[in-house]
Amino acid sequence: MKNNVFLIGNGINNINTTYTWYDLIEDLIKYIGAKGRIHTINKPFPLLYEEIVASAIRKNDISETDIKKFIAEQIKKLQPNKIHQRIITSGVQHILTTNYDFTLEQLLTSQTDQMKNEGIVKENLYSIFRHHQLNDKYIWHIHGDRNHLLSITLGYEHYSGYLQQMRNYVATGASYTNLKLEPLIIRKNTSDRTIIYSWLDFFFKNNIYIIGLTLDFIEIHLWWLLTFRQRTIQSKKLKLNNSITYFYPDFLESKIQHKLQLLNAYEIKTKSMPFDEKNEADYYLRILDKIEKHGIR
């Protein structure tokens, strides 16, 4: 299991709770005083967020920091469930998550507000390197975390800037105050290939299992990363022996065919699993059982 890496989405937080991400967005719209004025239908979330920010500043003099503080306070209410527990007690050392909350960390420490960002580069806005190390677990918050408001990745501008930072790290090289790095695709062919600086390294090194993540097309940075990885394989610039597996509920099979076709074109394995909406936890337990007992290559 040690060569395996989990990429965890918000799906695991929706078990045994009636408060969803969509509820949070509606509460946010109410908070800025825009209920009935801002509508969410058919709007990609990063652009909807920009509308929320623009309206909050223009109409009510509420800052983006205030908005992110509101979101951080709401997600503090989330508590670990048995899926979080199962993930933490698995043999997987590195866990990537798009979630801002500390439901995973709460199972390892009661001092989440005092946790130290262990990234080799101390980022304020982006999260190329951001992670916490607790015991033998490394938890990488790839969309930022609630302790660092500016890091919470929500808007179109933030996503775009983040993608630029990712491309620098992977494709062109990057310089920081305390670190200068050649492009990842060059370093992976040198003696530096075993060093893990960023969560991006895992996509070119380890077997990754994507769990509870919708992987909407608004996640432009993740789709770019999968695209770049596939082009690297095809151009033979880097020999890759790792695999990426995307799990999804079986009832969505026909609805997400367009997404599955794209993932398969990128040589991402796609696995459907039985899903019972009356017992969502079983869906995730089946996935973890499959990975732990059989592995997927």
Side-chain angles (χ1 to χ4, degrees):
M1 290 290 287
K2 286 209 168 183
N3 191 46
N4 296 336
V5 172
F6 288 154
L7 171 52
I8 305 296
N10 193 53
I12 65 169
N13 286 340
N14 292 332
I15 299 169
N16 300 330
T17 181
T18 58
Y19 192 75
T20 68
W21 176 252
Y22 302 101
D23 294 323
L24 190 153
I25 299 309
E26 290 297 334
D27 286 346
L28 176 59
I29 291 171
K30 291 177 188 175
Y31 166 71
I32 68 164
K35 183 179 180 181
R37 193 169 71 245
I38 292 181
H39 304 283
T40 62
I41 297 175
N42 294 329
K43 293 177 182 176
F45 179 72
L47 289 175
L48 171 63
Y49 175 79
E50 297 294 350
E51 181 184 7
I52 291 171
V53 171
S55 178
I57 294 172
R58 186 173 63 252
K59 300 286 186 180
N60 297 314
D61 199 27
I62 296 173
S63 70
E64 185 172 12
T65 300
D66 292 329
I67 289 172
K68 291 193 173 184
K69 189 178 295 184
F70 175 85
I71 292 171
E73 288 300 319
Q74 293 301 108
I75 62 178
K76 277 184 182 180
K77 300 173 185 177
L78 294 172
Q79 294 299 314
N81 58 46
K82 61 183 177 181
I83 304 305
H84 296 96
Q85 180 70 46
R86 179 69 180 275
I87 289 169
I88 286 297
T89 56
S90 73
V92 171
Q93 258 191 316
H94 293 275
I95 302 165
L96 320 182
T97 178
T98 57
N99 301 333
Y100 320 120
D101 60 77
F102 296 147
T103 46
L104 292 167
E105 286 94 336
Q106 283 174 240
L107 295 168
L108 297 168
T109 179
S110 60
Q111 305 297 316
T112 54
D113 288 341
Q114 283 76 51
M115 288 187 303
K116 180 184 176 183
N117 172 17
E118 301 287 348
I120 192 168
V121 175
K122 303 308 177 188
E123 304 159 290
N124 291 317
L125 189 59
Y126 302 111
S127 299
I128 302 292
F129 307 95
R130 186 182 310 280
H131 69 278
H132 301 127
Q133 181 181 355
L134 298 166
N135 301 332
D136 65 339
K137 301 294 181 182
Y138 298 78
I139 302 174
W140 303 73
H141 287 269
I142 71 175
H143 281 180
D145 69 65
R146 65 172 175 81
N147 276 0
H148 302 86
L149 296 179
L150 292 179
S151 75
I152 297 176
T153 308
L154 291 165
Y156 201 72
E157 168 63 21
H158 202 161
Y159 271 96
S160 300
Y162 195 4
L163 174 53
Q164 182 179 14
Q165 296 293 317
M166 288 172 58
R167 195 175 191 286
N168 289 346
Y169 181 84
V170 173
T172 63
S175 294
Y176 308 92
T177 302
N178 60 329
L179 185 67
K180 184 174 182 179
L181 291 172
E182 289 186 294
L184 181 148
I185 56 171
I186 292 178
R187 287 189 290 108
K188 289 304 174 189
N189 284 323
T190 69
S191 59
D192 194 22
R193 65 184 179 275
T194 60
I195 300 176
I196 299 295
Y197 293 108
S198 165
W199 64 270
L200 294 161
D201 291 85
F202 298 116
F203 278 75
F204 299 84
K205 176 179 171 63
N206 296 70
N207 302 327
I208 296 178
Y209 299 100
I210 305 175
I211 304 168
L213 183 65
T214 305
L215 201 57
D216 282 333
F217 295 129
I218 62 173
E219 306 283 5
I220 55 173
H221 59 319
L222 293 178
W223 281 100
W224 172 83
L225 182 60
L226 296 178
T227 300
F228 184 88
R229 179 179 181 276
Q230 179 59 20
R231 284 178 173 264
T232 299
I233 293 171
Q234 291 176 331
S235 65
K236 299 181 180 179
K237 290 181 179 178
L238 190 64
K239 184 178 180 180
L240 300 181
N241 297 313
N242 67 321
S243 65
I244 301 175
T245 305
Y246 176 75
F247 288 96
Y248 63 94
D250 56 358
F251 76 93
L252 289 177
E253 181 93 42
S254 59
K255 187 177 180 179
I256 64 170
Q257 271 301 311
H258 58 299
K259 185 185 301 180
L260 299 177
Q261 290 167 6
L262 285 170
L263 289 171
N264 290 329
Y266 291 174
E267 298 184 48
I268 308 300
K269 298 178 182 180
T270 55
K271 302 286 183 182
S272 69
M273 298 294 287
F275 184 92
D276 180 357
E277 62 180 11
K278 295 180 181 179
N279 193 346
E280 291 185 38
D282 275 359
Y283 165 74
Y284 294 104
L285 291 173
R286 288 190 190 101
I287 292 173
L288 295 169
D289 284 343
K290 190 173 183 68
I291 295 170
E292 290 181 12
K293 291 180 181 178
H294 307 292
I296 300 174
R297 284 286 298 171

